[in-house]
Amino acid sequence: MTDTDAVILVGGLGTRLRPLTLSAPKPMLPTAGVPFLTHLVTRLRDAGVTHVVLGTSYRAEVFEEYFGDGSELGVELEYVVETEALGTGGGIRNVADTLRGDTTLVLNGDNLVGVDLAVLLAEHRERDADVTLTLTRVEDPRAFGCVPTDPDGRVTAFLEKSPEPVTDQINAGLYVFRRSVIDTIPAGRPVSVERETFPGLLAAGAAVYGHVHGGYWRDFGTPADFVAGSCDLVLGRAPSPAVAAPGESLVLPGAQVDAAASLTLGTTVGRDAVVAGGAEVAGSVVFDGAVVAAGAVVRRSVVGAGARIGADAVLEDVVVGDRATVGARVELLGGARVWPDAVLADGSIRFSTDG
Ligand code: GTP
């Protein structure tokens, strides 16, 4: 599809996922055994969109070091670095010179949307839209800005969070732009596409449409969503050409998992990691080189690279930073985060942010 370029915004700090994002930018965090970005790029490739531009800022060098020119994934990758973060709209504007076609797909680098990209692009063209936003329906829209549409699919407003939302449709973080519209975004200063560009286009009478997508959608921006999303990928509930054989768990090369350990609910065990006998790892992500000792229980949690979880420790809904040590029998529950290299001594400490 030579008339369509893709831009993936990957420049954010990923503060909600700290401390994992202290060592790697969010789109590079391993999900189902590969950097999250791999799932997005392979989906684009399979839809025939092979010129992909990454708008980078935070830890910009890491992306090119890993992906190079993109040829291993069957795409042509370009990188455009913001020396000062320009926000989502500024990030799109900043890559304008690299765009070749008259249609641009824009993806948030932390959202996975199962929308059929060919159908989305065809609808955008048929409507002769300036911008088409993919919208998803959520059960509780109060925590999100809402995007109502009229019966023809035209966006009627961009509404802030409200205790009484008028629709359950929210922005899914994947857009199609008419190429020329990107030039109208102010250059050289931070711009939010959600708060400034979209409302501005609507106010100016531009043809802004919504494409409501009823399939898979998740924002991988919080620890709970990151873990759940990684498990969705392993289990085959989330669409990705980069997951060859969905299953109950994914064990990467070099990992040692004792026959008497249990790995369930989409758990990934990273390269050279160790899970000892009697350990139970459910719905979790164990990064490369981490160790889960005998009898430990790890549920809905992330164990950072090289971290060590002691015997009979219990972790639920927590994030353990890289190389941290959680001692034997320690209980960590409900949203606790252990910083990289921290050491929690053996003992029956119980720590929960829920009180
Ligand atoms: P939090 O700090 O946890 O909110 O995460 P974030 O920094 O990733 O912000 P957010 O989730 O709102 O960003 C949505 C997408 O836009 C992510 O893929 C970010 O990488 C990307 N993004 C956010 N800010 C910028 C920016 O200034 N420049 C570029 N190029 N991308 C950005």
Side-chain angles (χ1 to χ4, degrees), residues 155-174:
V155 172
T156 55
F158 288 95
L159 302 171
E160 298 286 330
K161 282 180 204 170
S162 153
E164 289 174 20
V166 299
T167 170
D168 58 0
Q169 296 175 181
I170 67 158
N171 176 353
L174 189 156

Side-chain angles (χ1 to χ4, degrees), residues 9-16 26 55-56 82 85-88 91 108-110:
L9 297 168
V10 294
L13 293 173
T15 44
R16 288 168 297 159
K26 178 167 51 177
T56 66
E82 293 152 42
L86 293 172
T88 46
N108 275 353
D110 59 354

Side-chain angles (χ1 to χ4, degrees), residues 3-52:
D3 57 347
T4 304
D5 308 278
V7 176
I8 311 182
L9 297 168
V10 294
L13 293 173
T15 44
R16 288 168 297 159
L17 271 180
R18 279 183 189 164
L20 300 174
T21 43
L22 295 175
S23 53
K26 178 167 51 177
M28 291 302 291
L29 289 176
T31 45
V34 290
F36 180 71
L37 203 48
T38 305
H39 304 293
L40 304 186
V41 171
T42 52
R43 277 182 56 76
L44 288 165
R45 177 201 63 203
D46 284 8
V49 180
T50 53
H51 179 227
V52 181

